[in-house]
Amino acid sequence: MSLEDRVTADTDRAQGLAEQARKWLNTAETAFEAHQLIARTLGGQLDGDTAVFGFWTPELQDARIPDSDVFLEVLSPKEPLELTRSHQTLAFERVYLPVARYEAHTFAAAKGMRAGNRHEGGDFYALVWRDQYDEWHRILDPLAASLPFGAFAPAELYDLDRLQAERKDKDYWANLRGDNPHKFGPPTNILQIHVPTATAGGTLASLTRQFERLAERSRGDLPMDPMDEIYLGYDAVQLLPVEPTTVYEVGPDFWQEIPLEDGSVEVELIRPDTTNWGYDVVISGMATVNPVLLESGRPDELADLAAALHNFPNKPKMLVFDVVFGHSDNQGLDALNNHYFGGPNMYGQNLDYKNPAVRAILLELQRRKVDFGADGVRVDGAQDFKWWDPQEQELKHDNEYLNLMSDIVQNVAGTDYRPWFVFEDGRPWPQEDWELSSTYRAVIEQHADDDVFQWGPLTFAHNTPFIYGYWLSKWWRIKEMLDRGSNWISGTANHDTLRRGTQVNPKLNINTRLGDTRMEILEKAYDNPAVSMLTYAAFPGVPMDFLNATARANWGFIRNQDDKYGVKVVAEEAISLKWQVDDYQYSVPGNFERLKALGFETREELRRFFEFLPALVEVTEYDLDHIAKLLNGVEPPLAGPGVFTVEDLKGIARAWMDDMHDYCNVAHSQSGLNPSQTRFMLDLRRYRRANPWLRQNLGPEDHFDYMQPVDGRTVFTSYRKGPGKEVFTITHMEGGATDEFDPLRLPIEGLRGSGWRCVLRTPGIGEDYISGPITLVDSMGLVFERG
């Protein structure tokens, strides 16, 4: 049956949707409340045997486009579409269906459309309009449930009800069901994961299989190897953003069309293959999953991961989504109408949060995304949610919007709930003194209850715990954490801090006691046993570890879509070669194959090129033509293409990003993991889970200080008194060795008396140490317990 015979317009239903929008806009108390109701009807959704579609289309009003020139475009492949195929060209049938409009909203309804599901693909759709010159223009669906070819291609009609019905964690959600929405509280600790580098497969499906395998081994009480241990002992898994991101600035597009004479269209399809750390979003498509992360091309993979975590034996694991609604990349201008935007910012574009339609749509995007099954939400860059106050002529923080974000009621498998919320908020960022003046409590203090958290100061971006003097320089922040850190995320290793570490000038006062090479120093700095002991056994808050750090894998700014500024970005990243890549790692077959193919056969050859590139970017003010000419004049000549052109420079930048992305994959670190370190870290996490009271702020009987006189080293001591238990922690953070001393004989009030037993020792301290005199060196620590 042809598409034209199969799909028919339901004009009555479309008109009913438009009429309902009219009523809401005319009768709701506020415009925002009306748009909240309308937002639930937007996007492509199934209602029984009818597919209904809603679009916010103020651009049609701006251009004064009449109803007769606006249509719902439905596209269906004539042959089976293989979403797992890298490249294919298929003919699509196409029909145009009439729409119903009311002011800035456009609706359509159709019978006979195929909806995609886990097992088969569905029809694609978009809104189209015709101008006075008979030129066609397409409006994409920003609230799409499935985008197999990214946010800049037509959406797939998808059966989300079936996705929910086929969930494998329905019992988990049923157990939370009550008369009122369930409210999730904080986990004991968090594992932060970047999906593309977390497993060899680099997809949500491969990550799901990893947790399913660990669950099966746990049920069978089978031994775990170091690669297993780095995933275990956590109450929650937080994913770096999994929304569709930017695409290649100069192509290729993942969906490219050639119209055919019979009215159909030939489409060249490329499986999305961009490399991105997740934060370069275009806002459009935020309700679904980045197709790059989908092994099967089906968004069900995200629900499957939630189920694998929720069904984990002994104790379910929470799933936390990291959402980016504080800005859009400039590519968002091509995906959304200009009414979404409030003007440019350092990331791309501000969003117009005070526009009631935009405000409602953004919240609806969040609601639909979290309904994939997240227990918690981490909000990226909460300080970026701002609106322009025309009276005072300044940008102001939209705290009310942040409150609305944390107040959304979700529904998964029939259970209403409110997720646990974490905000990253460094206001007054980007003010120059933000590191000094930020309280990291602006959002917490808006909430009278105890359910909102923020990233703490040791978790934020600019932390470099491998520079001598770091720990005492942060003493005032540590004191803040002790006094009021219960609602902070703690820990020093995350996607921001590890990246910042790779940008540090190696000529600074680096703590060489951490390792014999720069790679060893960086790896131990962000997977440091003493720092972890301090985080898990002494500090309040919720500890978070970054998988790439605990795996001692590599990390950096990963994004291969740039054309205009790609060379500049790589020039800024070039210093990471000094920290993360040595001659041996560069020479390993499979590492840096793209750069080797471009002529940089050794690390030394690449290093020499990278010595020139950043300097030339600066002195030429990023003039690519001038940079290429200067590189060609270097004597002796640089390795690479022979004669550098602008296109060569862009190709080298792309190769660096792709090679580094592959190099950062955790799977490559398996053979180098230290069983003593991975087991110690797992023991620490289990200790925190067994003592959840440690999350609370220090009380009047507690103690935290550093040993004095300093004598060239920083040694922290912590005494904490909990319900029926006392915990004493001592950690050597940096500097020279201590004299031999007995930790339990230190003049700390709480240590008096006997009964202490040593329960945790950092690697390097033998299991035979129970108590008594000891000499501590950098990165050593002990935990004693009584009660």
Side-chain angles (χ1 to χ4, degrees):
M1 182 184 296
S2 69
L3 180 65
E4 189 172 1
D5 292 333
R6 174 166 59 88
V7 175
T8 58
D10 186 339
T11 54
D12 290 342
R13 184 64 185 279
Q15 191 60 50
L17 290 168
E19 175 62 18
Q20 182 64 72
R22 184 195 70 79
K23 289 181 179 178
W24 282 329
L25 287 167
N26 290 346
T27 60
E29 289 194 14
T30 66
F32 174 55
E33 290 177 9
H35 282 287
Q36 281 186 295
L37 294 168
I38 295 172
R40 290 291 186 104
T41 70
L42 300 183
Q45 304 181 67
L46 277 182
D47 186 3
D49 62 351
T50 303
V52 294
F53 304 88
F55 297 84
W56 181 55
T57 54
E59 65 267 49
L60 297 181
Q61 282 186 307
D62 296 341
R64 298 184 180 180
I65 305 302
D67 291 1
S68 57
D69 283 324
V70 183
F71 303 89
L72 180 75
E73 178 187 28
V74 180
L75 296 144
S76 183
K78 292 183 178 180
E79 302 173 42
L81 174 60
E82 298 289 343
L83 291 175
T84 59
R85 188 172 172 180
S86 297
H87 188 193
Q88 58 194 310
T89 300
L90 294 176
F92 278 69
E93 295 181 90
R94 175 166 56 188
V95 297
Y96 297 113
L97 303 181
V99 301
R101 295 167 63 192
Y102 179 74
E103 299 293 348
H105 289 92
T106 302
F107 300 94
K111 292 185 180 295
M113 284 187 66
R114 294 194 183 109
N117 55 54
R118 179 189 297 273
H119 308 290
E120 58 185 1
D123 293 330
F124 290 78
Y125 67 92
L127 198 68
V128 294
W129 58 277
R130 181 174 50 201
D131 65 23
Q132 58 184 320
Y133 306 106
D134 280 338
E135 294 288 334
W136 288 89
H137 306 269
R138 183 176 275 161
I139 297 174
L140 301 171
D141 182 6
L143 293 98
S146 177
L147 291 167
F149 299 99
F152 296 88
E156 177 191 15
L157 180 65
Y158 208 77
D159 191 344
L160 288 178
D161 288 340
R162 181 168 176 172
L163 180 150
Q164 293 290 354
E166 293 178 349
R167 297 188 70 95
K168 300 174 185 177
D169 57 354
K170 286 187 284 188
D171 289 344
Y172 170 85
W173 293 105
N175 290 334
L176 301 176
R177 199 170 300 147
D179 295 334
N180 297 311
H182 174 78
K183 174 60 186 174
F184 281 99
T188 303
N189 58 357
I190 306 169
L191 174 63
Q192 187 190 40
I193 287 179
H194 176 245
V195 173
T197 60
T199 62
T203 62
L204 286 163
S206 62
L207 184 59
T208 297
R209 289 192 294 270
Q210 172 73 342
F211 280 107
E212 288 175 341
R213 188 183 72 83
L214 293 175
E216 189 171 346
R217 294 185 67 80
S218 295
R219 292 187 187 97
D221 199 25
L222 296 172
M224 300 291 181
D225 62 27
M227 197 64 175
D228 296 330
E229 290 175 339
I230 62 175
Y231 293 89
L232 296 172
Y234 294 99
D235 281 353
V237 168
Q238 177 180 308
L239 304 179
L240 268 68
V242 295
E243 287 76 41
T245 63
T246 54
V247 295
Y248 300 119
E249 286 183 347
V250 293
D253 295 332
F254 303 136
W255 177 293
Q256 302 176 69
E257 296 181 7
I258 301 175
L260 300 177
E261 292 183 359
D262 63 0
S264 62
V265 61
E266 185 176 83
V267 184
E268 183 180 3
L269 300 167
I270 298 175
R271 180 179 169 86
D273 61 351
T274 50
T275 291
N276 201 286
W277 62 343
Y279 293 96
D280 302 305
V281 301
V282 294
I283 299 301
S284 185
M286 293 287 282
T288 189
V289 187
N290 185 352
V292 176
L293 309 181
L294 299 175
E295 184 177 290
S296 63
R298 306 289 76 194
D300 302 67
E301 288 183 28
L302 186 54
D304 291 345
L305 175 61
L309 297 173
H310 294 155
N311 295 334
F312 207 84
N314 301 322
K315 187 173 185 181
K317 297 180 185 296
M318 295 170 62
L319 175 60
V320 180
F321 287 168
D322 189 345
V323 298
V324 188
F325 285 102
H327 62 270
S328 168
D329 184 273
N330 281 323
Q331 286 191 20
L333 296 168
D334 298 322
L336 300 167
N337 68 66
N338 58 19
H339 292 262
Y340 278 92
F341 303 104
N345 63 23
M346 63 189 302
Y347 303 112
Q349 295 292 322
N350 291 308
L351 298 171
D352 188 1
Y353 300 101
K354 286 300 181 180
N355 183 313
V358 174
R359 197 175 186 85
I361 289 171
L362 294 178
L363 292 170
E364 179 64 11
L365 285 168
Q366 175 189 318
R367 186 190 68 81
R368 295 189 191 187
K369 185 53 166 287
V370 178
D371 272 357
F372 272 93
D375 312 80
V377 177
R378 182 259 186 185
V379 179
D380 179 69
Q383 71 276 350
D384 297 325
F385 291 77
K386 296 178 180 178
W387 60 281
W388 179 253
D389 186 333
Q391 294 182 338
E392 299 191 24
Q393 291 290 295
E394 66 177 355
L395 284 170
K396 291 186 176 181
H397 292 284
D398 198 339
N399 295 320
E400 181 184 356
Y401 183 84
L402 300 182
N403 293 338
L404 291 169
M405 293 183 82
S406 62
D407 201 41
I408 294 175
V409 175
Q410 306 293 150
N411 185 282
V412 175
T415 295
D416 288 333
Y417 71 98
R418 285 189 172 89
W420 175 60
F421 257 81
V422 180
F423 292 87
E424 179 202 35
D425 192 308
R427 68 184 77 180
W429 162 268
Q431 186 175 304
E432 288 186 1
D433 68 342
W434 73 273
E435 287 189 83
L436 177 69
S437 55
S438 177
T439 67
Y440 300 94
R441 295 188 59 82
V443 185
I444 291 173
E445 290 169 356
Q446 295 177 44
H447 293 77
D449 50 16
D450 195 41
D451 65 347
V452 168
F453 281 60
Q454 283 189 228
W455 274 28
L458 297 187
T459 304
F460 222 79
H462 297 86
N463 287 289
T464 50
F466 55 101
I467 297 178
Y468 276 127
Y470 170 83
W471 289 103
L472 286 185
S473 73
K474 294 290 184 179
W475 176 247
W476 67 287
R477 285 297 194 189
I478 291 172
K479 291 290 289 182
E480 285 184 328
M481 176 176 285
L482 303 173
D483 294 338
R484 53 180 189 171
S486 62
N487 280 45
W488 273 345
I489 306 302
S490 62
T492 61
N494 59 68
H495 74 279
D496 267 338
T497 57
L498 184 52
R499 183 219 169 184
R500 295 296 181 186
T502 69
Q503 306 299 300
V504 170
N505 188 336
K507 294 181 180 179
L508 294 178
N509 194 17
I510 304 300
N511 181 0
T512 55
R513 290 187 173 92
L514 294 175
D516 296 328
T517 68
R518 289 171 182 163
M519 289 180 66
E520 290 177 355
I521 291 170
L522 187 73
E523 288 168 357
K524 191 170 183 179
Y526 292 102
D527 183 36
N528 188 292
V531 175
S532 298
M533 181 174 278
L534 190 71
T535 301
Y536 276 88
F539 283 164
V542 175
M544 183 177 72
D545 299 322
F546 182 37
L547 180 65
N548 292 64
T550 57
R552 300 208 172 178
N554 298 286
W555 181 247
F557 181 71
I558 301 172
R559 183 178 70 195
N560 69 356
Q561 295 97 304
D562 295 323
D563 180 72
K564 184 176 181 180
Y565 290 110
V567 176
K568 184 176 183 180
V569 171
V570 170
E572 295 169 353
E573 292 293 301
I575 192 174
S576 65
L577 182 73
K578 299 178 180 180
W579 284 108
Q580 298 192 95
V581 187
D582 59 20
D583 291 338
Y584 175 77
Q585 289 297 331
Y586 195 87
S587 70
V588 171
N591 286 349
F592 301 96
E593 290 297 294
R594 299 173 185 86
L595 286 166
K596 291 173 183 175
L598 292 176
F600 300 101
E601 297 181 2
T602 67
R603 178 191 178 278
E604 175 57 26
E605 290 173 336
L606 181 63
R607 182 204 64 78
R608 187 163 175 259
F609 172 77
F610 274 169
E611 288 295 329
F612 284 95
L613 183 64
L616 295 182
V617 166
E618 182 175 355
V619 299
T620 66
E621 296 184 343
Y622 194 52
D623 183 329
L624 286 175
D625 288 307
H626 197 185
I627 291 170
K629 292 176 183 177
L630 292 173
L631 288 172
N632 288 326
V634 173
E635 290 293 341
L638 296 169
V643 176
F644 289 94
T645 67
V646 170
E647 289 308 308
D648 289 328
L649 294 178
K650 292 180 178 180
I652 292 167
R654 169 72 180 272
W656 165 262
M657 284 296 183
D658 287 333
D659 280 343
M660 278 301 293
H661 176 261
D662 293 345
Y663 184 62
C664 290
N665 196 288
V666 167
H668 299 321
S669 302
Q670 183 168 2
S671 60
L673 290 173
N674 184 332
S676 298
Q677 174 68 4
T678 59
R679 170 55 55 156
F680 165 74
M681 289 291 290
L682 179 55
D683 289 342
L684 264 182
R685 296 191 289 270
R686 287 171 171 166
Y687 187 78
R688 183 71 166 217
R689 294 173 88 182
N691 294 277
W693 59 272
L694 288 169
R695 197 210 103 195
Q696 302 304 321
N697 298 329
L698 271 65
E701 297 183 79
D702 293 338
H703 156 96
F704 192 98
D705 207 345
Y706 56 91
M707 288 176 59
Q708 300 178 47
V710 171
D711 285 339
R713 74 280 192 276
T714 301
V715 179
F716 288 141
T717 56
S718 167
Y719 167 82
R720 300 201 59 183
K721 189 172 184 179
K725 184 180 292 187
E726 300 166 90
V727 176
F728 173 63
T729 304
I730 184 165
T731 54
H732 189 307
M733 309 305 296
E734 60 181 341
T738 66
D739 296 331
E740 188 174 75
F741 74 107
D742 186 342
L744 295 176
R745 299 289 183 182
L746 291 172
I748 298 171
E749 183 70 24
L751 294 185
R752 294 180 180 178
S754 60
W756 289 101
R757 60 189 181 279
C758 187
V759 293
L760 288 169
R761 309 162 187 82
T762 55
I765 301 177
E767 291 293 320
D768 57 341
Y769 177 82
I770 300 175
S771 64
I774 190 172
T775 298
L776 295 180
V777 300
D778 200 320
S779 306
M780 278 188 177
L782 297 161
V783 175
F784 297 88
E785 191 177 272
R786 180 166 64 183

mmCIF file of all heavy atoms in Angstrom, residues 275 557-562 566 569-570 573 594-595 652-662:
data_model
loop_
_atom_site.group_PDB
_atom_site.id
_atom_site.type_symbol
_atom_site.label_atom_id
_atom_site.label_comp_id
_atom_site.label_asym_id
_atom_site.label_seq_id
_atom_site.Cartn_x
_atom_site.Cartn_y
_atom_site.Cartn_z
ATOM 1 N N THR A 275 31.755 13.174 17.538
ATOM 2 C CA THR A 275 32.457 12.980 18.805
ATOM 3 C C THR A 275 32.223 14.216 19.665
ATOM 4 O O THR A 275 32.540 15.324 19.234
ATOM 5 C CB THR A 275 33.963 12.792 18.542
ATOM 6 O OG1 THR A 275 34.160 11.541 17.892
ATOM 7 C CG2 THR A 275 34.753 12.819 19.825
ATOM 8 N N PHE A 557 38.921 17.830 26.258
ATOM 9 C CA PHE A 557 37.811 18.474 25.556
ATOM 10 C C PHE A 557 37.619 17.736 24.238
ATOM 11 O O PHE A 557 38.475 17.790 23.358
ATOM 12 C CB PHE A 557 38.120 19.943 25.328
ATOM 13 C CG PHE A 557 37.017 20.688 24.637
ATOM 14 C CD1 PHE A 557 35.835 20.969 25.302
ATOM 15 C CD2 PHE A 557 37.162 21.109 23.330
ATOM 16 C CE1 PHE A 557 34.822 21.658 24.671
ATOM 17 C CE2 PHE A 557 36.149 21.797 22.693
ATOM 18 C CZ PHE A 557 34.975 22.084 23.370
ATOM 19 N N ILE A 558 36.515 17.025 24.111
ATOM 20 C CA ILE A 558 36.297 16.133 22.967
ATOM 21 C C ILE A 558 35.148 16.674 22.122
ATOM 22 O O ILE A 558 34.002 16.671 22.548
ATOM 23 C CB ILE A 558 35.973 14.706 23.455
ATOM 24 C CG1 ILE A 558 37.121 14.175 24.317
ATOM 25 C CG2 ILE A 558 35.720 13.780 22.288
ATOM 26 C CD1 ILE A 558 36.806 12.863 24.988
ATOM 27 N N ARG A 559 35.483 17.161 20.912
ATOM 28 C CA ARG A 559 34.439 17.661 20.010
ATOM 29 C C ARG A 559 35.041 17.783 18.619
ATOM 30 O O ARG A 559 35.976 18.552 18.412
ATOM 31 C CB ARG A 559 33.924 19.024 20.473
ATOM 32 C CG ARG A 559 32.785 19.563 19.607
ATOM 33 C CD ARG A 559 32.268 20.883 20.124
ATOM 34 N NE ARG A 559 33.222 21.961 19.927
ATOM 35 C CZ ARG A 559 33.148 23.144 20.543
ATOM 36 N NH1 ARG A 559 32.194 23.364 21.437
ATOM 37 N NH2 ARG A 559 34.030 24.093 20.297
ATOM 38 N N ASN A 560 34.524 17.026 17.665
ATOM 39 C CA ASN A 560 35.116 17.027 16.331
ATOM 40 C C ASN A 560 34.258 17.722 15.278
ATOM 41 O O ASN A 560 34.498 17.573 14.087
ATOM 42 C CB ASN A 560 35.424 15.594 15.879
ATOM 43 C CG ASN A 560 34.164 14.780 15.601
ATOM 44 O OD1 ASN A 560 33.048 15.232 15.797
ATOM 45 N ND2 ASN A 560 34.357 13.555 15.149
ATOM 46 N N GLN A 561 33.256 18.498 15.709
ATOM 47 C CA GLN A 561 32.343 19.114 14.751
ATOM 48 C C GLN A 561 32.835 20.460 14.230
ATOM 49 O O GLN A 561 32.316 20.995 13.277
ATOM 50 C CB GLN A 561 30.952 19.305 15.381
ATOM 51 C CG GLN A 561 30.246 18.018 15.718
ATOM 52 C CD GLN A 561 30.423 17.641 17.173
ATOM 53 O OE1 GLN A 561 31.534 17.513 17.660
ATOM 54 N NE2 GLN A 561 29.321 17.452 17.879
ATOM 55 N N ASP A 562 33.844 21.043 14.920
ATOM 56 C CA ASP A 562 34.272 22.398 14.582
ATOM 57 C C ASP A 562 34.953 22.470 13.219
ATOM 58 O O ASP A 562 35.750 21.605 12.861
ATOM 59 C CB ASP A 562 35.263 22.923 15.628
ATOM 60 C CG ASP A 562 34.625 23.072 16.991
ATOM 61 O OD1 ASP A 562 33.458 23.464 17.047
ATOM 62 O OD2 ASP A 562 35.295 22.785 17.993
ATOM 63 N N GLY A 566 38.041 24.938 14.971
ATOM 64 C CA GLY A 566 38.615 23.661 15.370
ATOM 65 C C GLY A 566 40.108 23.727 15.618
ATOM 66 O O GLY A 566 40.624 23.142 16.575
ATOM 67 N N VAL A 569 40.760 25.432 18.961
ATOM 68 C CA VAL A 569 40.445 24.551 20.085
ATOM 69 C C VAL A 569 41.573 23.552 20.311
ATOM 70 O O VAL A 569 42.012 23.317 21.448
ATOM 71 C CB VAL A 569 39.106 23.822 19.855
ATOM 72 C CG1 VAL A 569 38.893 22.740 20.904
ATOM 73 C CG2 VAL A 569 37.949 24.813 19.865
ATOM 74 N N VAL A 570 42.072 22.961 19.232
ATOM 75 C CA VAL A 570 43.143 21.974 19.370
ATOM 76 C C VAL A 570 44.428 22.637 19.848
ATOM 77 O O VAL A 570 45.191 22.045 20.619
ATOM 78 C CB VAL A 570 43.350 21.227 18.043
ATOM 79 C CG1 VAL A 570 44.606 20.364 18.089
ATOM 80 C CG2 VAL A 570 42.140 20.348 17.758
ATOM 81 N N GLU A 573 44.188 22.704 23.406
ATOM 82 C CA GLU A 573 44.287 21.367 23.989
ATOM 83 C C GLU A 573 45.675 20.752 23.829
ATOM 84 O O GLU A 573 45.968 19.722 24.438
ATOM 85 C CB GLU A 573 43.257 20.444 23.332
ATOM 86 C CG GLU A 573 41.824 20.776 23.641
ATOM 87 C CD GLU A 573 41.483 20.546 25.102
ATOM 88 O OE1 GLU A 573 41.621 19.414 25.572
ATOM 89 O OE2 GLU A 573 41.089 21.516 25.761
ATOM 90 N N ARG A 594 45.110 8.213 12.986
ATOM 91 C CA ARG A 594 44.771 9.265 12.027
ATOM 92 C C ARG A 594 45.921 10.265 11.908
ATOM 93 O O ARG A 594 46.275 10.700 10.811
ATOM 94 C CB ARG A 594 43.478 9.963 12.457
ATOM 95 C CG ARG A 594 42.264 9.042 12.516
ATOM 96 C CD ARG A 594 41.062 9.760 13.115
ATOM 97 N NE ARG A 594 39.911 8.885 13.287
ATOM 98 C CZ ARG A 594 39.714 8.116 14.355
ATOM 99 N NH1 ARG A 594 40.622 8.097 15.349
ATOM 100 N NH2 ARG A 594 38.636 7.359 14.449
ATOM 101 N N LEU A 595 46.483 10.656 13.060
ATOM 102 C CA LEU A 595 47.607 11.594 13.027
ATOM 103 C C LEU A 595 48.843 10.963 12.392
ATOM 104 O O LEU A 595 49.577 11.629 11.650
ATOM 105 C CB LEU A 595 47.924 12.061 14.451
ATOM 106 C CG LEU A 595 46.917 13.050 15.046
ATOM 107 C CD1 LEU A 595 47.114 13.196 16.540
ATOM 108 C CD2 LEU A 595 47.035 14.411 14.361
ATOM 109 N N ILE A 652 44.131 18.142 10.518
ATOM 110 C CA ILE A 652 44.929 17.745 11.680
ATOM 111 C C ILE A 652 44.118 17.931 12.954
ATOM 112 O O ILE A 652 44.133 17.082 13.859
ATOM 113 C CB ILE A 652 46.232 18.556 11.730
ATOM 114 C CG1 ILE A 652 47.148 18.175 10.560
ATOM 115 C CG2 ILE A 652 46.960 18.340 13.062
ATOM 116 C CD1 ILE A 652 48.310 19.122 10.350
ATOM 117 N N ALA A 653 43.378 19.037 13.036
ATOM 118 C CA ALA A 653 42.547 19.283 14.219
ATOM 119 C C ALA A 653 41.491 18.203 14.377
ATOM 120 O O ALA A 653 41.253 17.695 15.485
ATOM 121 C CB ALA A 653 41.898 20.666 14.117
ATOM 122 N N ARG A 654 40.856 17.834 13.281
ATOM 123 C CA ARG A 654 39.837 16.783 13.332
ATOM 124 C C ARG A 654 40.474 15.444 13.740
ATOM 125 O O ARG A 654 39.920 14.695 14.553
ATOM 126 C CB ARG A 654 39.168 16.674 11.962
ATOM 127 C CG ARG A 654 38.273 15.446 11.776
ATOM 128 C CD ARG A 654 36.973 15.551 12.579
ATOM 129 N NE ARG A 654 36.178 14.365 12.362
ATOM 130 C CZ ARG A 654 35.288 14.222 11.362
ATOM 131 N NH1 ARG A 654 35.111 15.197 10.489
ATOM 132 N NH2 ARG A 654 34.587 13.122 11.247
ATOM 133 N N ALA A 655 41.649 15.144 13.188
ATOM 134 C CA ALA A 655 42.324 13.889 13.523
ATOM 135 C C ALA A 655 42.690 13.844 15.001
ATOM 136 O O ALA A 655 42.561 12.804 15.660
ATOM 137 C CB ALA A 655 43.570 13.721 12.660
ATOM 138 N N TRP A 656 43.147 14.965 15.547
ATOM 139 C CA TRP A 656 43.490 15.011 16.975
ATOM 140 C C TRP A 656 42.269 14.706 17.830
ATOM 141 O O TRP A 656 42.333 13.899 18.765
ATOM 142 C CB TRP A 656 44.069 16.376 17.336
ATOM 143 C CG TRP A 656 44.112 16.654 18.812
ATOM 144 C CD1 TRP A 656 43.205 17.370 19.549
ATOM 145 C CD2 TRP A 656 45.098 16.196 19.750
ATOM 146 N NE1 TRP A 656 43.564 17.398 20.871
ATOM 147 C CE2 TRP A 656 44.722 16.684 21.028
ATOM 148 C CE3 TRP A 656 46.239 15.428 19.638
ATOM 149 C CZ2 TRP A 656 45.464 16.429 22.174
ATOM 150 C CZ3 TRP A 656 46.984 15.174 20.788
ATOM 151 C CH2 TRP A 656 46.598 15.671 22.041
ATOM 152 N N MET A 657 41.161 15.342 17.521
ATOM 153 C CA MET A 657 39.957 15.123 18.312
ATOM 154 C C MET A 657 39.484 13.672 18.220
ATOM 155 O O MET A 657 39.133 13.050 19.235
ATOM 156 C CB MET A 657 38.849 16.066 17.852
ATOM 157 C CG MET A 657 39.003 17.489 18.319
ATOM 158 S SD MET A 657 38.907 17.624 20.135
ATOM 159 C CE MET A 657 39.018 19.398 20.351
ATOM 160 N N ASP A 658 39.478 13.108 17.026
ATOM 161 C CA ASP A 658 39.021 11.732 16.871
ATOM 162 C C ASP A 658 39.995 10.754 17.529
ATOM 163 O O ASP A 658 39.574 9.782 18.173
ATOM 164 C CB ASP A 658 38.862 11.396 15.389
ATOM 165 C CG ASP A 658 37.645 12.066 14.764
ATOM 166 O OD1 ASP A 658 36.685 12.347 15.502
ATOM 167 O OD2 ASP A 658 37.656 12.309 13.548
ATOM 168 N N ASP A 659 41.287 10.985 17.366
ATOM 169 C CA ASP A 659 42.274 10.095 17.986
ATOM 170 C C ASP A 659 42.219 10.184 19.503
ATOM 171 O O ASP A 659 42.318 9.167 20.202
ATOM 172 C CB ASP A 659 43.683 10.449 17.500
ATOM 173 C CG ASP A 659 43.994 9.867 16.127
ATOM 174 O OD1 ASP A 659 43.275 8.953 15.695
ATOM 175 O OD2 ASP A 659 44.965 10.327 15.493
ATOM 176 N N MET A 660 42.064 11.400 20.039
ATOM 177 C CA MET A 660 41.999 11.549 21.494
ATOM 178 C C MET A 660 40.734 10.902 22.051
ATOM 179 O O MET A 660 40.751 10.312 23.133
ATOM 180 C CB MET A 660 42.058 13.025 21.891
ATOM 181 C CG MET A 660 43.461 13.593 21.942
ATOM 182 S SD MET A 660 44.562 12.747 23.104
ATOM 183 C CE MET A 660 43.822 13.174 24.676
ATOM 184 N N HIS A 661 39.639 11.007 21.301
ATOM 185 C CA HIS A 661 38.405 10.355 21.738
ATOM 186 C C HIS A 661 38.621 8.848 21.882
ATOM 187 O O HIS A 661 38.232 8.240 22.884
ATOM 188 C CB HIS A 661 37.285 10.636 20.745
ATOM 189 C CG HIS A 661 36.011 9.939 21.054
ATOM 190 N ND1 HIS A 661 35.631 8.765 20.427
ATOM 191 C CD2 HIS A 661 35.030 10.216 21.938
ATOM 192 C CE1 HIS A 661 34.476 8.364 20.914
ATOM 193 N NE2 HIS A 661 34.078 9.219 21.821
ATOM 194 N N ASP A 662 39.257 8.252 20.899
ATOM 195 C CA ASP A 662 39.534 6.818 20.979
ATOM 196 C C ASP A 662 40.512 6.509 22.112
ATOM 197 O O ASP A 662 40.357 5.517 22.828
ATOM 198 C CB ASP A 662 40.112 6.315 19.655
ATOM 199 C CG ASP A 662 39.101 6.386 18.513
ATOM 200 O OD1 ASP A 662 37.893 6.551 18.795
ATOM 201 O OD2 ASP A 662 39.526 6.297 17.343
#
